[in-house]
Amino acid sequence: MDNGDLIFTQAYSSSYNNVNLFNYKFKRTDTLAGSSSYGYADGNATAARYRSPMGLLKATEEIVMIADQGNNRVRILNLTNNFTTTFCTGMPKVCSFHSPTSLLLTNDALLIGENNRIVKVRGKWVHRYIISSLDNIIFVFGIWHSN
């Protein structure tokens, strides 16, 4: 990715379920992963399937995490090879979340905004709710952390 490029998701019914790259220099949008067909599948580029991809998190220069709301998953997109995998954590293994919509990486944890709570994933084996049963809130669409 060049400086100034923009990665964004498209989630609209069954028409758009993909992760895209907008290249400012060439004024062009390319699909990195997913397609117009929704579903659930890990795989290369457009063979991967998403169902309402929402929030994005750039974890490293090569890794983007996606809140795949419709599949109740957090997905990992490797920008080097455009391969999508599913994020799992915990013991026993936890790969499913409840309609995740937003992601935030802090110094020591991954925060996942889902349905009416925020999940904190810290280290390889910890998975717990830091805020649950938020009154009158259906989905958490954004998370901001102050150091």
Side-chain angles (χ1 to χ4, degrees):
M1 278 184 28
D2 294 331
N3 288 335
D5 289 347
L6 176 70
I7 296 177
F8 64 97
T9 60
Q10 283 183 290
Y12 180 74
S13 182
S14 61
S15 301
Y16 301 103
N17 288 282
N18 46 22
V19 179
N20 300 297
L21 172 71
F22 177 74
N23 183 298
Y24 279 107
K25 183 177 179 180
F26 298 107
K27 306 289 189 250
R28 186 180 77 212
T29 299
D30 295 311
T31 298
L32 297 176
S35 71
S36 59
S37 300
Y38 64 86
Y40 175 72
D42 288 342
N44 285 321
T46 57
R49 293 289 178 263
Y50 295 85
R51 186 182 208 108
S52 296
M54 301 297 268
L56 292 171
L57 165 69
K58 186 174 179 183
T60 68
E61 284 299 313
E62 296 85 25
I63 300 295
V64 172
M65 299 179 85
I66 300 108
D68 190 357
Q69 183 186 27
N71 284 318
N72 297 312
R73 303 281 193 269
V74 172
R75 312 291 289 283
I76 298 171
L77 173 60
N78 184 320
L79 296 175
T80 305
N81 58 14
N82 289 357
F83 194 86
T84 297
T85 56
T86 300
F87 171 77
C88 298
T89 188
M91 190 63 160
K93 194 176 198 178
V94 174
C95 299
S96 182
F97 299 90
H98 194 259
S99 297
T101 54
S102 53
L103 306 166
L104 175 70
L105 192 60
T106 67
N107 291 338
D108 68 342
L110 170 66
L111 302 179
I112 302 169
E114 60 172 26
N115 200 339
N116 63 351
R117 60 187 168 220
I118 298 174
V119 176
K120 183 175 187 178
V121 178
R122 184 174 180 210
K124 190 172 183 179
W125 309 112
V126 178
H127 179 256
R128 63 185 173 97
Y129 302 116
I130 59 170
I131 299 174
S132 63
S133 300
L134 298 169
D135 291 336
N136 301 318
I137 294 183
I138 299 172
F139 291 105
V140 177
F141 282 108
I143 306 172
W144 178 76
H145 178 264
S146 174
N147 289 335

